[in-house]
Amino acid sequence: MAADQPNSIPRPNGPALRFVAAGLIVRGGEVLIGQRREDQPMASLWEFPGGKIEAGETAEQALARELSEELGIQATIGAPVTHIRHNYRHGGAVDLQFFAVHEFVGEIDNQIYQQVRWVRLEDLTGYDFLAADRGLIRDLAAGKLL
């Protein structure tokens, strides 16, 4: 292509968008959270288990797959809780769908996190969560969503 011709390759406007499903795995008044490993982006921050929605998957199917891979459980994916779109300062963007998970089969077997922990909803604000989760954390701690 000559230097004076415009580049015809389409480029996305803004940051790349990742579609993610996450589970609010609840037991009594507690929810399961995971701390990202030191070798991961945004190391040591806390998040709710879940992951990328692959092509051809619904959000619920993706979450069930991710919970099996990450925690070794077979989860019954419940109702949607909230939907968040967040643009990170470093340029990435994420579209997060959160679902309630009240039932699962199997013992929690942490496969990917530095650690996992059951935390009372009202204590969530004491943990350093990913920026995309912080509004949700405030609402959960205030008893607004679950």
Side-chain angles (χ1 to χ4, degrees), residues 29-61:
E30 296 180 321
V31 65
L32 188 72
I33 60 175
Q35 187 179 37
R36 296 174 70 90
R37 293 188 324 262
E38 291 293 329
D39 63 338
Q40 291 179 295
M42 296 178 266
S44 298
L45 295 180
W46 292 87
E47 66 181 2
F48 296 102
K52 184 178 177 188
I53 301 170
E54 301 291 348
E57 283 183 318
T58 65
E60 293 89 343
Q61 290 168 335

Side-chain angles (χ1 to χ4, degrees), residues 6-120:
N7 186 348
S8 63
I9 299 170
R11 295 184 184 243
N13 295 332
L17 183 61
R18 291 185 60 220
F19 291 89
V20 173
L24 301 174
I25 305 171
V26 292
R27 177 181 76 179
E30 296 180 321
V31 65
L32 188 72
I33 60 175
Q35 187 179 37
R36 296 174 70 90
R37 293 188 324 262
E38 291 293 329
D39 63 338
Q40 291 179 295
M42 296 178 266
S44 298
L45 295 180
W46 292 87
E47 66 181 2
F48 296 102
K52 184 178 177 188
I53 301 170
E54 301 291 348
E57 283 183 318
T58 65
E60 293 89 343
Q61 290 168 335
L63 181 56
R65 176 185 50 76
E66 289 284 349
L67 295 179
S68 177
E69 293 171 1
E70 294 179 0
L71 300 173
I73 60 173
Q74 304 309 307
T76 301
I77 309 304
V81 174
T82 191
H83 185 179
I84 299 168
R85 188 168 283 193
H86 181 79
N87 293 315
Y88 283 99
R89 284 182 289 178
H90 62 71
V94 64
D95 183 283
L96 289 156
Q97 296 181 59
F98 290 89
F99 295 87
V101 176
H102 294 281
E103 298 176 16
F104 62 88
V105 175
E107 295 295 319
I108 300 291
D109 181 19
N110 176 20
Q111 296 294 312
I112 67 158
Y113 291 107
Q114 185 171 311
Q115 63 177 314
V116 294
R117 188 175 290 179
W118 289 101
V119 177
R120 293 183 340 177

